[in-house]
Amino acid sequence: MKFLTATDRYILRLVLMPMFAVFLIAASLLILDKMLKLFEFVSTEGGPVGVVFSMLVNLFPEYAGLAVPLGLLLGVLLAFRKLATSSELDVMRAVGLSYVRLLRVPYLIALVLVAVNLAIVGYLQPLARYAYEQQQYELRSGALGASIKVGEFTTLKDRMALRIEKSEDDGRRLMGIFARVADKKGQVLAISASEGRFLASQENRNTIILRLINGTIVQDTPKQAPRVLSFSQHDLPVDLPAIERFRKRGNESREYVLPELLKLGWNDTTPKAERTGSQANFNYRMVEVVMMLLLPLLAVALAIPPKRSTSALGVFVSIVLVVAYHKVNQYGQSIAELGQVSPYLALWGPFALFSLLIVWMFYRVAYVPGGQAIGALETAYARLAKQVKRLWQRRDRARGIIAAGAADAV
């Protein structure tokens, strides 16, 4: 017999399309929300706009760690919901295909995505998080060319104050320049120019040349009368501020890859606080990955509405459960890092409870005749929907009566 039958290939097509759609939509929404904050941050720091997209690339693995499980869950759920509402699932069950057999393809997909998510949370997320923090540091320190802001005074090496009124051609042409330069002997130069541009210095990499055009220099020397000079072109050397190198990776436990967490978390020579944080972070990542193996069961349990019903309550409940479980894991990691609770209890305890809930819900649907995983919620939801429908009908009738009375009055 074929390992993948025509039914399996049919289920595969039903799962893949919504799965990829949900993954793209979830990741896009999370990224768009962060994009607005990054644009504001980069513009405040005066950095180039292109760095925003580079920072978003480094944030993508973090968002993918949540988007991949959601895509798997909703892909399987929507596929089985379509089978149930179109009565195809009843036909498959009638010819002897059990729910366990129908889950063959979803579990093959789940195994692939578990490996992908393990690579994301175990390796890509730590490295991308470190790169993101490094870009933030470079923006704040001016390493990306963001130290001179238009319309503000900028101090360079405590001896030069520089202000640029306007910038054109992506910073290649500067308008309305004012500079105040002081030396150790007390001499002060006040320089103003109509325009200028920065040029690289071939002699010293730590110095750039500010070429000024059409301006005036006021030279103020102690015990001497000030002198005023006009120029058509003047080169002003500008010493670049010293920028400290960014710290090494590993300031936080989430910046370590899985082998590093294992080495630190179970090493007696590691300080206790660091060891506790490494253990908590390692268990958090493993819990997030292992839970994906139960998502196909949860999807099937919530995908099948009551008979003669097209209720989509299961879709809403599934999203709430997965996001809530993710937040519980984050809280468990935080208290485990503080050493208040063992990471095994704080993280694997909720995992065990959630697993029992999922297995019970799947058992109700798969092995109890007419069983529903959220039957009570479906009943309450149906009653609420009827009440809302009645209220709308009453409102429509009242509007019709009012409109008819107004027409008769006319």
Side-chain angles (χ1 to χ4, degrees):
M1 295 180 63
K2 293 183 179 179
F3 182 72
L4 293 180
T5 62
T7 302
D8 293 324
R9 293 193 295 271
Y10 178 58
I11 293 176
L12 178 64
R13 291 195 298 270
L14 292 180
V15 172
L16 289 182
M17 185 63 68
M19 183 183 72
F20 286 122
V22 170
F23 174 75
L24 291 176
I25 292 173
S28 299
L29 290 176
L30 292 170
I31 287 176
L32 287 174
D33 177 64
K34 190 66 175 181
M35 182 185 295
L36 299 177
K37 298 178 182 178
L38 286 180
F39 271 118
E40 182 179 356
F41 170 70
V42 172
S43 62
T44 301
E45 297 296 331
V49 177
V51 75
V52 173
F53 301 99
S54 177
M55 297 176 77
L56 287 174
V57 170
N58 288 323
L59 284 177
F60 186 78
E62 182 174 349
Y63 296 142
L66 180 59
V68 169
L70 276 177
L72 171 64
L73 173 68
L74 293 180
V76 177
L77 190 151
L78 294 176
F80 275 81
R81 172 179 162 77
K82 182 178 180 180
L83 293 175
T85 54
S86 62
S87 299
E88 291 176 297
L89 185 61
D90 294 332
V91 175
M92 294 177 183
R93 297 279 290 143
V95 299
L97 294 177
S98 66
Y99 283 104
V100 175
R101 174 61 183 83
L102 293 174
L103 279 171
R104 173 181 291 180
V105 169
Y107 261 101
L108 291 177
I109 298 173
L111 290 175
V112 173
L113 292 183
V114 164
V116 171
N117 207 29
L118 181 62
I120 290 174
V121 303
Y123 296 91
L124 292 181
Q125 278 186 4
L127 300 178
R129 167 56 60 177
Y130 176 73
Y132 176 79
E133 296 288 344
Q134 185 176 11
Q135 287 177 320
Q136 279 192 323
Y137 173 81
E138 290 175 346
L139 270 175
R140 292 192 178 99
S141 64
L144 296 178
S147 59
I148 298 178
K149 301 177 183 179
V150 174
E152 299 181 15
F153 278 97
T154 303
T155 302
L156 302 174
K157 283 204 169 182
D158 297 329
R159 75 177 190 90
M160 176 183 289
L162 182 64
R163 186 180 188 275
I164 298 172
E165 186 68 28
K166 188 169 61 173
S167 174
E168 298 179 356
D169 296 336
D170 295 330
R172 288 186 289 270
R173 185 183 181 190
L174 310 174
M175 312 295 292
I177 301 172
F178 174 81
R180 183 182 183 277
V181 185
D183 60 14
K184 297 180 180 179
K185 298 180 181 180
Q187 178 178 268
V188 177
L189 298 178
I191 307 173
S192 62
S194 60
E195 62 179 282
R197 66 180 61 226
F198 284 108
L199 303 174
S201 174
Q202 298 180 352
E203 299 178 356
N204 188 355
R205 295 181 59 185
N206 295 323
T207 301
I208 58 175
I209 302 299
L210 177 57
R211 177 160 294 174
L212 304 172
I213 299 174
N214 298 330
T216 303
I217 300 177
V218 179
Q219 182 180 15
D220 186 6
T221 305
K223 299 180 182 179
Q224 294 185 15
R227 294 192 302 170
V228 180
L229 303 173
S230 298
F231 61 85
S232 58
Q233 179 176 306
H234 177 72
D235 290 343
L236 178 66
V238 178
D239 295 330
L240 294 176
I243 299 175
E244 297 181 3
R245 295 187 61 184
F246 187 56
R247 59 173 174 80
K248 295 182 178 180
R249 183 171 59 86
N251 186 53
E252 299 177 351
S253 59
R254 62 179 179 175
E255 293 181 358
Y256 289 116
V257 297
L258 286 181
E260 294 171 339
L261 287 176
L262 282 171
K263 183 178 179 181
L264 292 172
W266 284 266
N267 190 344
D268 295 336
T269 60
T270 305
K272 184 178 180 180
E274 187 175 358
R275 186 167 66 249
T276 302
S278 299
Q279 291 178 357
N281 193 269
F282 177 83
N283 284 281
Y284 168 76
R285 298 190 202 179
M286 296 308 300
V287 163
E288 291 282 301
V289 172
V290 174
M291 176 49 63
M292 291 181 62
L293 295 174
L294 294 173
L295 292 183
L297 299 181
L298 178 63
V300 172
L302 296 176
I304 302 170
K307 293 300 181 181
R308 296 181 299 277
S309 172
T310 58
S311 170
L313 182 62
V315 179
F316 173 75
V317 172
S318 66
I319 297 174
V320 171
L321 286 177
V322 171
V323 174
Y325 177 72
H326 178 70
K327 293 300 180 182
V328 168
N329 282 341
Q330 288 182 334
Y331 176 73
Q333 179 193 5
S334 63
I335 61 175
E337 286 178 340
L338 297 175
Q340 298 178 353
V341 182
S342 168
Y344 303 104
L345 178 61
L347 293 163
W348 292 100
F351 170 80
L353 295 176
F354 196 44
S355 300
L356 290 175
L357 175 63
I358 292 175
V359 171
W360 175 81
M361 294 171 70
F362 178 75
Y363 175 82
R364 290 282 303 173
V365 171
Y367 298 102
V368 177
Q372 285 290 315
I374 52 173
L377 289 177
E378 290 282 5
T379 302
Y381 175 75
R383 291 177 180 175
L384 180 62
K386 289 181 180 179
Q387 293 295 330
V388 173
K389 185 177 180 180
R390 288 175 183 173
L391 290 176
W392 279 100
Q393 289 175 348
R394 290 177 183 175
R395 193 193 68 166
D396 292 340
R397 285 197 298 268
R399 286 183 175 179
I401 293 172
I402 293 172
D408 294 339
V410 173

